[in-house]
Amino acid sequence: KQAMTAVLLMAYGTPSEQADIEPYYRNIRHNHANPNPPKALLDELTRRYLAIGLPSPLARITQAQGDGLQALLDEEAPGKYRVYVGLRYIEPFIAQTVERIVADGAERIIGLPLAPEYSSFSSEGYHNIVRAALKEHPDIDYAPVKSWWRQGELIDFWSQQLEDLKALTDRPDTRLLFSAHSLLRRIIERGDPYGREVTDFAKAIAAQAGLRQDQWTLAWQSAGRTKEPWMGPAFESVARELVAEDGVKTVISASIGFVAENLEIRYDIDITLKKIIQDEGGRLIRLSMPNDDIKLLKTLRSTVLDLEEPQG
Ligand code: FEC
């Protein structure tokens, strides 16, 4: 019988109905002194989810990414890989999925966070949950994937969309605005490579699309609602300034830290950022997210295959 390798895709997870929002939020706040969200914050989060409609598209997209990757790996090595999904803050929790993988008899688990840039908060957080769940199964080999934005066709996925908009990107009153999720500044100050990773990814996309340095900028989005300082500048203030002060008419948004449409895309960009730009008299064009695009699936496939030991 052929040895089975489990590919564990790990993502944030999203509430599927309104009643899930509170426990989900409590899980996100697990490391707070009081994980129970204050009513005002819970109401505010509920309002945002209802504005985009529940369930957020994220649940369906994560599943489609898993199914698509399974199909590509089956073409490559029939029966060798089984793709699983484990979520950080809602069922199926990562630890539950690890138990399923163990019961299915895997000898090896490849842990692949659905976040292309490495950070100690996101990527390493996912891996630590798996490592803890595997403490009782020391015979199972764990291969954690760190950053994977350089792999496969992900740079191409983004740069191709920019090349398709060449007539627009070449205009002096157009600016490309890259963004990724902000993190607590103290995480970066401890030496986390996240900021550098996102910057290098943005540079690689811009270079491949043939854009000069002065045609794009990078800012941070969706900082949490906590008192501690977060990485900046925030993309709302950058976008406002571009349109109000720098004569920019069209802002092209490329949110390169996520791989799926989620609350941060559908609300923070499609509603909030768009309104800020329109209020200043500009317009926003948001590039498509990878979702289950074949270029993303091929990227995930090469990330998995590149981890394998050389044959022979
Ligand atoms: O349901 C959806 O469609 C959106 C799911 C979702 C994704 C996501 C991705 C990231 N987050 C990251 C960092 C933080 C930090 C905090 C934090 C808080 C929230 C809250 C919600 C939420 N996040 Fe999230 N994030 C998603 C959803 N995130 C809801 C709580 C309400 C709010 O603050 O808006 C602060 C935690 C704390 O309070 O202690 C830090 C990072 C990513 C991208 C990497 C990844 O996907 O793993 C980094 C999707």
Side-chain angles (χ1 to χ4, degrees), residues 8 94-109 129-143:
L8 174 54
I94 292 169
Q96 295 173 327
T97 303
V98 168
E99 288 309 318
R100 258 183 66 213
I101 292 173
V102 171
D104 288 349
E107 293 184 350
R108 181 161 194 257
I109 300 177
I129 300 171
V130 181
R131 291 184 186 111
L134 282 177
K135 277 234 166 73
E136 288 164 28
H137 310 285
D139 44 316
I140 297 181
D141 175 41
Y142 186 54

Side-chain angles (χ1 to χ4, degrees), residues 134-160:
L134 282 177
K135 277 234 166 73
E136 288 164 28
H137 310 285
D139 44 316
I140 297 181
D141 175 41
Y142 186 54
V145 172
K146 289 190 115 183
S147 90
W148 49 269
W149 57 266
R150 290 183 184 80
Q151 294 280 344
E153 303 183 10
L154 194 59
I155 292 170
D156 189 58
F157 170 84
W158 291 105
S159 67
Q160 185 60 54

Side-chain angles (χ1 to χ4, degrees), residues 12 14 25 32 48-49 56 122 126 181 225 262-264:
Y12 221 81
T14 182
Y25 202 175
H32 288 222
R48 283 188 285 145
Y49 271 116
S56 139
S122 173
Y126 291 112
H181 202 298
R225 284 141 182 85
N262 56 28
L263 185 69
E264 288 84 345

Side-chain angles (χ1 to χ4, degrees), residues 5-190:
T5 295
V7 178
L8 174 54
L9 295 183
M10 293 181 283
Y12 221 81
T14 182
S16 42
E17 49 183 280
Q18 199 172 333
D20 295 337
I21 298 177
E22 184 166 9
Y24 171 71
Y25 202 175
R26 205 181 301 127
N27 291 337
I28 290 175
R29 291 169 50 93
H30 68 280
N31 54 355
H32 288 222
N34 177 10
N36 290 314
K39 184 169 183 310
L41 286 187
L42 179 62
D43 288 350
E44 162 63 15
L45 182 60
T46 303
R47 193 185 59 71
R48 283 188 285 145
Y49 271 116
L50 294 180
I52 69 163
L54 278 170
S56 139
L58 180 60
R60 173 177 47 79
I61 295 165
T62 303
Q63 193 53 51
Q65 289 169 336
D67 294 344
L69 175 60
Q70 182 74 66
L72 289 191
L73 289 172
D74 283 346
E75 273 172 26
E76 202 73 30
K80 179 166 182 198
Y81 298 99
R82 216 181 283 177
V83 178
Y84 297 80
V85 170
L87 305 176
R88 192 159 175 177
Y89 298 119
I90 205 155
E91 290 191 348
F93 290 108
I94 292 169
Q96 295 173 327
T97 303
V98 168
E99 288 309 318
R100 258 183 66 213
I101 292 173
V102 171
D104 288 349
E107 293 184 350
R108 181 161 194 257
I109 300 177
I110 294 174
L112 180 42
L114 287 173
E117 305 94 356
Y118 176 85
S119 75
S120 57
F121 170 84
S122 173
S123 333
E124 207 59 27
Y126 291 112
H127 295 317
N128 285 336
I129 300 171
V130 181
R131 291 184 186 111
L134 282 177
K135 277 234 166 73
E136 288 164 28
H137 310 285
D139 44 316
I140 297 181
D141 175 41
Y142 186 54
V145 172
K146 289 190 115 183
S147 90
W148 49 269
W149 57 266
R150 290 183 184 80
Q151 294 280 344
E153 303 183 10
L154 194 59
I155 292 170
D156 189 58
F157 170 84
W158 291 105
S159 67
Q160 185 60 54
Q161 294 188 70
L162 293 167
E163 284 169 51
D164 292 345
L165 293 171
K166 189 108 188 98
L168 194 58
T169 57
D170 275 350
R171 292 179 55 101
D173 58 0
T174 297
R175 200 67 53 86
L176 168 61
L177 174 59
F178 288 111
S179 62
H181 202 298
S182 180
L183 280 185
L184 282 171
R185 220 184 287 156
R186 100 178 116 79
I187 298 180
I188 302 301
E189 282 160 6
R190 276 199 311 243

Side-chain angles (χ1 to χ4, degrees), residues 267-304:
Y267 193 88
D268 298 350
I269 296 180
D270 293 352
I271 297 179
T272 307
L273 189 68
K274 184 174 180 184
K275 178 159 192 322
I276 288 170
I277 291 170
Q278 284 180 348
D279 284 352
E280 300 297 342
R283 70 165 167 161
L284 170 72
I285 294 178
R286 174 175 66 75
L287 299 188
S288 300
M289 298 304 291
N291 295 336
D292 61 347
D293 189 279
I294 187 67
K295 287 180 181 160
L296 186 270
L297 300 177
K298 285 183 173 173
T299 299
L300 296 177
R301 176 180 63 184
S302 60
T303 304
V304 168

